[in-house]
Amino acid sequence: RLSAAAAAAAAAGVAAAASVLTKRYDVLDVKAGIRRLEVHTQRLAATQARRERARERLHQLLQSQEVRTRQLQELQAQAVTLCREERRADAAAQALQAGRMAEK
């Protein structure tokens, strides 16, 4: 049988050991929390980098689309000009044909 003093000493030893273990687990918990935070920060940085690359690509595509739109508008204007010139040429050809017919 343990005396009261021995029991108190044993209880104090258990309490001290428990305190050390608790502190150690607290440190491990903090370290694990820091690691989780580091992983989260890395993932966030990677996500932000992907978002920035996507934003740059979208900007490039929009600029490319604007260039294509301008080119299309220029081609449409050229087509209109060519149609007018073709109508004038047709009218001139018809007038020339009518003039030849009148000479005969």
Side-chain angles (χ1 to χ4, degrees):
R1 291 193 176 160
L2 292 175
S3 68
V14 170
S19 175
V20 168
L21 287 175
T22 301
K23 287 179 184 172
R24 183 163 183 187
Y25 282 120
D26 286 346
V27 169
L28 292 177
D29 284 346
V30 169
K31 286 182 179 178
I34 290 171
R35 181 66 191 136
R36 283 192 302 270
L37 183 59
E38 288 171 347
V39 169
H40 178 73
T41 302
Q42 290 170 353
R43 287 180 182 161
L44 181 60
T47 299
Q48 289 171 338
R50 283 193 308 273
R51 183 179 296 135
E52 186 58 31
R53 286 192 303 272
R55 184 179 293 123
E56 289 171 5
R57 181 67 180 135
L58 177 61
H59 182 67
Q60 291 172 350
L61 289 172
L62 289 173
Q63 285 180 332
S64 177
Q65 183 179 3
E66 289 171 2
V67 168
R68 288 186 187 128
T69 300
R70 279 194 299 273
Q71 290 172 340
L72 178 60
Q73 290 170 344
E74 290 170 4
L75 288 173
Q76 288 171 335
Q78 290 175 2
V80 168
T81 301
L82 288 173
C83 286
R84 286 181 188 149
E85 290 175 1
E86 186 179 7
R87 282 192 296 251
R88 285 186 203 130
D90 284 346
Q94 288 176 358
L96 185 59
Q97 184 79 19
R100 286 185 184 160
M101 294 287 229
E103 289 177 3
K104 291 183 181 180

